[in-house]
Amino acid sequence: MSQLRLNPLNGRWVTIAVGRAARPGGFAPRRLPVQTSDDRPCPFCPGNEEATAPALETYGRDGQWSVRVVPNLYPAFSGRGPFTVTELGSIFTEAPAVGIHEVLVLSPDHHAGWGALSDKQAGLVMAAIRDRLEDHARLSDIRYTQTIVNHGREAGASVEHPHGQLLGIPFVPDELAAEQEQFVGFAAHHGTCLLCETIAVEEHEHHRIVAATDRLVVVCPYWSGVPYEMLVLPRRHEPHLAHSSPADLVAVGRALRDALADLDAAVGDVAYNLVFHTAPHHDRGLYHWHVHVLPHITSQAGFEEGTGVMINIVAPEQAAPQLAAARRRG
């Protein structure tokens, strides 16, 4: 029988429906080419730096860069200014999309996605994210910065070279606002942090643990909305990624690398999104930063799009042992 489970991070229901995995095409990874043509030089490869705007940050030694941050040539948010909402009649409301849109080039290697980074490179990428968040926080009109990595066409990637994006925006998006509300409500009822409690309970039960170290836990959450979904949870309670210790940031970078390698070993080279959730800039409320790993193995259909209720055909209690076993084999 299918089961409804409540996601305490956003207050929404998900459906665990493992029987649907047996339907034709129900579990079929898709691999579309990211780029339809490769006849142009890659703008993110060494030697082609002039194809991008001048770098905002460059990390490396001896004139060789290891990580670069550049402005996005096609920004969704750009320009400085106040978040001014204008009402154009009873139902039309608009505001200028001011903000920041940057590209984080993960490596000089055209084929080295996050799952193939070295320990040092993974830590360097996390340091770059921290530095950009700190810079964004200095701007009064930027309230929140969303860091993402899209891997594969199905996950939204449009350039093959592995990269992430940082989008500084003038408002707190609904997903973050919902999570903040859930942290407050959980603390009011249970007297503790929602994700600190998640770590404690999951380690006690151990059904959904993929990996655990002295600095973090990787878990397939009880409320997984998609097959093989993972959460990377730092043990230290800290609202802001940018305020975490260097050791914790390095640990998260390596844990993401290992989790993606586990995913590849367990189900193949599938598309995925990495979504970093951190407290809004200057917010001092209850929060615990974390990273969502969201594979694209099944497609969302009309029910998911129409209701916002996800249907997951692989229970996290099945997914976590498979991922952990893949790690042991590796």
Side-chain angles (χ1 to χ4, degrees):
M1 180 181 293
S2 298
Q3 186 180 64
L4 287 169
R5 296 184 180 182
L6 185 66
N7 181 344
L9 273 175
N10 58 26
R12 301 173 192 149
W13 291 99
V14 301
T15 306
I16 306 297
V18 296
R20 290 177 64 80
R23 66 196 174 108
F27 185 70
R30 296 175 297 129
R31 292 296 297 157
L32 299 174
V34 173
Q35 296 170 244
T36 57
S37 173
D38 58 359
D39 56 353
R40 291 186 299 175
C42 172
F44 300 152
C45 279
N48 299 332
E49 288 81 4
E50 291 185 0
T52 69
L56 300 165
E57 300 278 2
T58 302
Y59 300 79
R61 291 182 176 180
D62 304 322
Q64 302 294 318
W65 62 266
S66 296
V67 175
R68 295 180 79 224
V69 182
V70 300
N72 195 307
L73 290 179
Y74 308 100
F77 297 89
S78 63
R80 302 269 68 76
F83 184 58
T84 305
V85 176
T86 302
E87 294 185 359
L88 305 173
S90 58
I91 62 172
F92 302 116
T93 303
E94 65 180 40
V98 296
I100 301 168
H101 195 168
E102 300 171 350
V103 176
L104 171 69
V105 184
L106 305 181
S107 165
D109 188 336
H110 187 80
H111 302 287
W114 202 308
L117 298 180
S118 67
D119 284 355
K120 180 179 179 180
Q121 192 75 15
L124 199 59
V125 170
M126 291 300 298
I129 293 173
R130 175 201 60 205
D131 292 349
R132 296 314 300 154
L133 291 179
E134 289 179 341
D135 276 5
H136 290 194
R138 296 187 182 101
L139 301 173
S140 60
D141 55 338
I142 302 300
R143 292 193 60 194
Y144 176 73
T145 298
Q146 179 64 69
T147 304
I148 58 172
V149 175
N150 301 331
H151 173 81
R153 181 75 171 272
E154 297 86 354
S158 59
V159 176
E160 186 176 12
H161 194 119
H163 64 284
Q165 300 179 61
L166 299 108
L167 297 97
I169 59 179
F171 62 96
V172 177
D174 287 347
E175 188 71 16
L176 258 293
E179 287 194 356
Q180 288 181 292
E181 290 178 8
Q182 293 299 118
F183 274 94
V184 172
F186 191 89
H189 282 87
H190 301 280
T192 188
C193 164
L194 191 163
L195 290 184
C196 289
E197 180 72 1
T198 297
I199 292 171
V201 171
E202 291 291 2
E203 287 201 304
H204 179 263
E205 296 196 359
H206 212 76
H207 300 317
R208 291 167 289 269
I209 296 288
V210 178
T213 72
D214 60 339
R215 294 193 174 275
L216 56 82
V217 170
V218 181
V219 62
C220 290
Y222 176 77
W223 55 87
S224 295
V226 297
Y228 301 94
E229 177 179 344
M230 287 178 272
L231 271 179
V232 179
L233 305 173
R235 290 186 185 274
R236 180 172 177 263
H237 180 83
E238 170 55 59
H240 296 273
L241 181 156
H243 298 169
S244 290
S245 70
D248 281 345
L249 293 176
V250 169
V252 168
R254 294 175 180 177
L256 285 169
R257 185 266 319 277
D258 294 342
L260 294 170
D262 297 341
L263 180 66
D264 182 81
V267 298
D269 182 19
V270 298
Y272 61 79
N273 299 110
L274 302 182
V275 180
F276 292 74
H277 277 174
T278 181
H281 301 308
H282 312 299
D283 190 285
R284 291 178 171 79
L286 294 170
Y287 201 73
H288 188 137
W289 80 272
H290 53 280
V291 187
H292 298 265
V293 181
L294 302 170
H296 285 252
I297 296 174
T298 54
S299 299
Q300 293 187 29
F303 178 79
E304 292 92 337
E305 296 289 350
T307 64
V309 178
M310 306 299 292
I311 297 179
N312 182 1
I313 63 174
V314 180
E317 294 80 9
Q318 296 172 312
Q322 292 179 39
L323 293 165
R327 176 168 302 203
R328 289 193 296 270
R329 289 196 301 269

